[in-house]
Amino acid sequence: MSSRLDSRFTELKQANRAALVTYICAGDPGYDASLSLLKQLPAAGADIIELGMPFSDPMADGPTIQAAALRALNAGQTQLKTLQMVRDFRAQDSVTPLVLMGYYNPIHRYGAKGFMRDASEAGVDGLLIVDLPAEHDSELGPLAREYGLDMIRMATPTTDATRLPVVLERASGFLYYVSLNGVTGVGQADNAVVARALGRIREHSDLPICVGFGVRTPAQAAAFASAADGVIVGSALVDCIGRADSAKQGVADVLTLVSELAEAIRSAR
Amino acid sequence: MTHTSTQFSQGADAQGQFGSFGGRFVAESLMPLVLDLEVAFNTALAEPDFLTELDRFQAEFVGRPSPLYFAERMTELYGGAKIFFKREELNHTGAHKINNCIGQILLAKRMGKTRIIAETGAGMHGVAAATVAARFGLPCVVYMGATDIERQRDNVSRMRLMGAEIVPVVSGTGTLKDAMNEALRDWVTNVDNTFYMIGTVAGPHPYPTMVREFQAVIGRETRLQMLAREGRLPDSLIACIGGGSNAMGLFHPFLDDPTVQMVGVEAAGEGLTSGKHAASLKGGVPGVLHGNRTYLLQDGDGQITDAHSVSAGLDYPGIGPEHAWLHEQGRVEYSAVTDQEALAAFHVCCRQEGIIPALETAHALAEVARRAALLPKDHLMVVCLSGRGDKDMPTVLRLMEEQA
């Protein structure tokens, strides 16, 4: 539905390489540093951006992304500021797809219709709401379609053959394949197992499939990039900010790692 | 009201929702698990063997039925309604929590699960979970906020004695909501062998329905006991609410009896206007957390805010979705009681009846203190004595010293 996501995956298919999808948490470690990082991600090699909306109770995330959300909230990040970041980003970049990722409650509180309208107007391309499974599509799905936003769905190792059609119905943009059972940033999936899972999903869907959870190094990214349409890296990037002595250093470290990941993915096939 | 009098006990719809509340707001990784659990639960409930086994454990292990006790001296003190205690604090492990844990462990066993996880606030659910896990020989991991571990040391020791592993949760505020986050993270990581034993009528469907069903033994017994003793149904029911499992258990079998008035009592902490309370209905707005839509304490941006109560068991920023629905329907009245009022009622119960109640339960007793004198002497009032207060001795003694 989003022309930016569709165009990007079409381009990459022609170039015969996977997308590098980078996750950062909006407002981590502060608004200015986070915006500066966001603006520099495409030049460093990010093909698609996932921008996390911080939430006080991120049930599906490991310690790294929990800490990032807390840093952002403590620095005063809000839903309004996150949408403002997207507007600021769009002022200089009209082509890189940007997906908001997070939990349902902050959108629920904002008001679903108002949020979808404002997100669309700000230049968001899609949403991935972790605790909004396919069964609850009616909460945001119709509004997303009204405002031209993709609802990105997740499939996991527990999504079996009978369940897969439920997940894929009304999924758009791309499919986020969670490589292992668990929370973000912990553990590492077996590449062969993931490749088999992708093969199974492709029998049911033409959507591009991006693989995430537990991808930390350029080598791991390259391994997944041979079979997947995209590789999602989050905790490893966020960790750079958590470990750095200063916000400026954190931003520089993230960009360095993004460049390395991009290079590895470009040479994977 | 447009509803007929028989609709309030109808339960959740196919989406697991009570009106707009409840649901299954969980990550895709957990969806197949909650759907499996729903099937297993519904199948078990339809099988006489399961119900027979459940009844046997309720009788021989938990010690049911719990007595319905006429609180004669408290009745005299207030000089109005005839007050009865439903004595859940006499159950094995000292609270109503075990009713639910026995049901869930029998279900876990039927499902072939080999590992139990649980969250706990005050530690009463953690103790009950550790107890049934020991009885059935399954390893048990209990997630407990670091703050709660500090203020409920005795319960931590009890859990360890029965072989449970206690994992301190330091994320967030280190209380019940954070323990629940951590338990959900464990479950999503160990999907194959693990059974998540939720302690209250919250979480994704089918938990609110399942926990209520296992706790409804409280109300079913109360009904029979009151009919046997007084020849009629009670006029009012009063219970404290954190997540709301003892209240839901007492209320549910009476929901379609229009003459029975019900009051759920939330924790007002230092007062509803202080910002330091745990009253989700009185001071919260609808939102989505821990798998269900319900009233939540949250800020204007949808971030969950800290609950506050002298009782660790009520220290939760949400409330079971069925309560949220009954609140909106107007079938159940919800009130809120401060720390101070609860402490005063705690002492009255000790002195008048020789029963040391849990601080959670003392909130229900404070509501009794507000109402009883204003009611006629033939008004039959039942309060759920949900737990005993041994665990609260350090807190109560500290507060008595501070006030001396």
Side-chain angles (χ1 to χ4, degrees), chain B residues 100-318:
Chain B
N100 168 47
C101 290
I102 274 291
Q104 290 202 41
I105 196 96
L106 292 174
L107 197 56
K109 206 180 65 165
R110 285 169 64 97
M111 294 176 76
K113 302 293 181 181
T114 56
R115 176 174 178 266
I116 302 296
I117 59 171
E119 84 295 332
T120 197
M124 298 310 280
H125 172 59
V127 167
T131 298
V132 299
R135 170 61 185 77
F136 287 87
L138 297 181
C140 178
V141 176
V142 178
Y143 290 92
M144 188 168 185
T147 310
D148 289 336
I149 288 179
E150 273 304 304
R151 58 178 172 177
Q152 302 288 344
R153 284 170 182 273
D154 285 357
N155 274 343
V156 173
S157 303
R158 293 166 77 194
M159 288 184 265
R160 288 199 174 122
L161 276 176
M162 288 179 289
E165 179 192 344
I166 316 299
V167 180
V169 177
V170 293
S171 62
T173 51
T175 59
L176 180 55
K177 84 170 170 80
D178 308 294
M180 201 155 178
N181 290 336
E182 215 52 44
L184 285 164
R185 290 178 187 125
D186 180 313
W187 201 25
V188 80
T189 308
N190 300 287
V191 294
D192 294 326
N193 66 348
T194 296
F195 188 98
Y196 180 18
M197 196 174 275
I198 293 184
T200 191
V201 285
H205 184 67
Y207 282 99
T209 296
M210 180 169 72
V211 176
R212 178 251 281 156
E213 179 57 34
F214 291 140
Q215 290 293 0
V217 67
I218 302 173
R220 288 196 295 266
E221 286 178 8
T222 299
R223 191 180 183 95
L224 293 176
Q225 288 165 325
M226 191 59 96
L227 284 171
R229 188 188 162 105
E230 300 285 335
R232 65 185 181 91
L233 295 179
D235 297 301
S236 62
L237 308 173
I238 297 181
C240 67
I241 295 188
S245 69
N246 88 85
M248 220 44 248
L250 176 63
F251 296 169
H252 193 263
F254 295 97
L255 284 176
D256 297 331
D257 297 300
T259 63
V260 182
Q261 186 193 0
M262 302 173 198
V263 187
V265 186
E266 296 189 291
E270 295 178 12
L272 289 179
T273 55
S274 70
K276 299 186 90 174
H277 63 80
S280 319
L281 286 178
K282 290 282 165 187
V285 292
V288 172
L289 180 71
H290 293 154
N292 65 107
R293 177 169 18 229
T294 188
Y295 279 77
L296 298 172
L297 301 182
Q298 54 180 312
D299 68 16
D301 198 45
Q303 308 299 334
I304 307 305
T305 52
D306 297 345
H308 176 91
S309 169
V310 68
S311 91
L314 303 183
D315 217 340
Y316 181 68

Side-chain angles (χ1 to χ4, degrees), chain B residues 29-94:
Chain B
S29 325
L30 289 180
M31 270 309 284
L33 279 73
V34 300
L35 293 172
D36 276 357
L37 180 62
E38 184 182 353
V39 170
F41 169 65
N42 288 333
T43 307
L45 272 198
E47 285 183 15
D49 284 358
F50 178 80
L51 297 174
T52 304
E53 196 179 16
L54 179 60
D55 285 349
R56 182 168 71 82
F57 275 98
Q58 292 285 23
E60 297 174 6
F61 190 68
V62 177
R64 304 206 68 89
S66 68
L68 183 70
Y69 162 75
F70 174 42
E72 193 172 359
R73 294 234 309 139
M74 192 178 274
T75 298
E76 281 170 15
L77 176 72
Y78 296 132
K82 202 168 174 182
I83 302 163
F84 294 84
F85 291 172
K86 179 60 174 165
R87 300 287 305 274
E88 292 300 304
E89 100 285 7
L90 291 178
N91 293 340
H92 182 37
T93 71

Side-chain angles (χ1 to χ4, degrees), chain A residues 54-62 66 70 73 77-80 104-110 130-136 138-139 154-160 163 167 178 180-183 213, chain B residues 15 17 22-33 35 171-172 177-178 180-182 184-186 188-192 285-291 293 296 298-305:
Chain A
F55 181 48
S56 54
D57 293 79
M59 282 95 63
D61 284 299
Q66 290 173 45
L70 267 186
L73 292 174
Q77 190 69 13
T78 60
Q79 293 289 92
L80 282 171
Y104 186 28
N105 197 55
I107 295 174
H108 196 276
R109 186 78 172 108
Y110 191 105
V130 178
D131 54 353
L132 203 56
E135 278 78 355
H136 282 299
S138 65
E139 298 276 330
M154 291 178 133
T156 74
T158 58
T159 311
D160 60 19
R163 192 166 162 71
V167 170
V178 177
L180 41 82
N181 293 320
V183 293
F213 277 46
Chain B
Q15 285 277 50
Q17 302 201 123
R24 304 181 189 93
F25 294 93
V26 294
E28 170 58 25
S29 325
L30 289 180
M31 270 309 284
L33 279 73
L35 293 172
S171 62
K177 84 170 170 80
D178 308 294
M180 201 155 178
N181 290 336
E182 215 52 44
L184 285 164
R185 290 178 187 125
D186 180 313
V188 80
T189 308
N190 300 287
V191 294
D192 294 326
V285 292
V288 172
L289 180 71
H290 293 154
R293 177 169 18 229
L296 298 172
Q298 54 180 312
D299 68 16
D301 198 45
Q303 308 299 334
I304 307 305
T305 52

Side-chain angles (χ1 to χ4, degrees), chain A residues 164-197:
Chain A
L164 193 55
V166 178
V167 170
L168 291 171
E169 193 190 352
R170 305 195 162 187
S172 65
F174 63 89
L175 189 71
Y176 187 131
Y177 184 73
V178 177
S179 69
L180 41 82
N181 293 320
V183 293
T184 51
V186 179
Q188 190 188 328
D190 182 321
N191 189 36
V193 173
V194 170
R196 275 200 299 279

